[in-house]
Amino acid sequence: MRNINEDTITQAVLAAMDQCRDARLRTVMTSLVQHLHSFAREVKLTEAEWFQAIQFLTAVGHITDDVRQEFILLSDVLGLSTLVTAQNNVKPTGCTEATVFGPFFVENAPDYPLGADISNGARGEPCFVSGRVTGIDGQPLAGVLMDVWQSDEDGFYDVQKPPTTDQPHTHRARGRIRTDAQGGYHFRSILAQPYPIPHDGPVGKMLDALGRHPWRPAHLHFMLSAPGHERLITHVFRDQDRYLDSDAVFGVRSTLISDWVRHEAGTAPDGTALDRPYYTLNYDFVLNPAKREA
């Protein structure tokens, strides 16, 4: 491995991996090295540019913590998250499409009974969400665990805002429910609003340098888990949103766009009397059967 130059370095790196016992790891790393080296040659990468890239990635790592996942944001805005999601979630026609996970999911969110208000004090106009979950054969799926999470009307998720006297709860506009015997679900939350992804860090600076905006169209996040079926991670987007065709993370699918219906003040779907307008959303999910082991 002496006297390596720009023409021989790629093969030298690949040869250094000859003893790798993990076939998949070797396949992935071989392709990664080849593409990285080809990229550097194609753009004639300078030392100053490469050092700037290292500084950028270092900054992404420094700002990442238990609340903020800047690497997921970076993957999202480069379209890599959507690409990986799309190629790993090919489903039969009729199944609900998957889309990006996003950086604000929280494990072990509070469990709520059907019909509960999962907003838990989050700011926003009242919204009542309902629908059914079925298999691709149309049969209702009972007991499906549904994780739901969303931002408040200010564009922030609960994990982005510390508890306050007015909003002491850690979990807001987030929760888990289960479908009933007929596959039905319903809960109360708040109206989804468009919001910018966190753009005060290195990813935001990159977007600004590229002339891109950080906005996402209004949406609700869902993760559905049911025995015998593939887990579904998806959003439901609010129709007529101005950012549907320019989502900063490329997550929109036409089949995931639905109408939030506005209602004047009156009796809400859960029987409560509301003195202000409210919204309803009805959306049905269709899950794909899990692949059987060979």
Side-chain angles (χ1 to χ4, degrees), residues 34-46 50:
Q34 290 173 328
H35 283 283
L36 283 176
H37 287 208
S38 294
F39 158 73
R41 291 187 179 100
E42 179 183 338
V43 302
K44 299 187 184 305
L45 193 66
T46 68
W50 180 230

Side-chain angles (χ1 to χ4, degrees), residues 113-194:
L114 286 175
D117 183 356
I118 72 168
S119 66
N120 208 15
R123 288 165 49 85
E125 298 177 84
C127 182
F128 297 84
V129 185
S130 62
R132 295 179 71 236
V133 183
T134 67
I136 196 170
D137 57 1
Q139 292 300 307
L141 297 177
V144 177
L145 178 61
M146 304 180 70
D147 269 277
V148 185
W149 66 104
Q150 69 174 107
S151 68
D152 62 17
E153 70 177 7
D154 299 318
F156 293 103
Y157 289 80
D158 51 6
V159 294
Q160 295 177 279
K161 300 172 72 172
T164 64
T165 302
D166 294 334
Q167 294 185 323
H169 306 292
T170 302
H171 297 287
R172 296 186 292 271
R174 180 188 306 276
R176 305 193 306 180
I177 59 174
R178 290 185 181 272
T179 58
D180 61 24
Q182 290 74 46
Y185 72 92
H186 60 284
F187 61 90
R188 175 175 171 171
S189 190
I190 53 177
L191 179 66
Q193 299 284 3

Side-chain angles (χ1 to χ4, degrees), residues 50-62:
W50 180 230
F51 183 65
Q52 187 176 15
I54 290 174
Q55 289 179 311
F56 171 76
L57 292 174
T58 300
V60 170
H62 283 167

Side-chain angles (χ1 to χ4, degrees), residues 33-102:
V33 168
Q34 290 173 328
H35 283 283
L36 283 176
H37 287 208
S38 294
F39 158 73
R41 291 187 179 100
E42 179 183 338
V43 302
K44 299 187 184 305
L45 193 66
T46 68
E47 290 176 291
E49 289 167 341
W50 180 230
F51 183 65
Q52 187 176 15
I54 290 174
Q55 289 179 311
F56 171 76
L57 292 174
T58 300
V60 170
H62 283 167
I63 203 171
T64 297
D65 56 24
D66 292 340
V67 173
R68 177 167 180 158
Q69 233 305 350
E70 195 82 355
F71 278 105
I72 291 180
L73 285 179
L74 178 59
S75 174
D76 287 350
V77 302
L78 292 178
L80 184 59
S81 297
T82 289
L83 172 59
V84 173
T85 295
Q87 67 185 12
N88 283 278
N89 287 275
V90 177
K91 302 178 186 297
T93 300
C95 288
T96 304
E97 292 187 88
T99 191
V100 293
F101 197 30

Side-chain angles (χ1 to χ4, degrees), residues 40 47 113 157 160 234 253 259 285:
E47 290 176 291
Y157 289 80
Q160 295 177 279
T234 195
R253 306 289 179 273
D259 188 24
F285 296 92

Side-chain angles (χ1 to χ4, degrees), residues 172-236:
R172 296 186 292 271
R174 180 188 306 276
R176 305 193 306 180
I177 59 174
R178 290 185 181 272
T179 58
D180 61 24
Q182 290 74 46
Y185 72 92
H186 60 284
F187 61 90
R188 175 175 171 171
S189 190
I190 53 177
L191 179 66
Q193 299 284 3
Y195 65 85
I197 61 172
H199 56 103
D200 57 340
V203 170
K205 292 178 181 178
M206 183 189 75
L207 290 178
D208 186 59
L210 294 172
R212 291 178 53 188
H213 70 70
W215 285 85
R216 299 216 62 205
H219 60 274
L220 281 176
H221 291 264
F222 288 89
M223 182 168 72
L224 282 67
S225 304
H229 292 79
E230 295 177 354
R231 185 179 67 174
L232 173 66
I233 296 171
T234 195
H235 304 0
V236 178

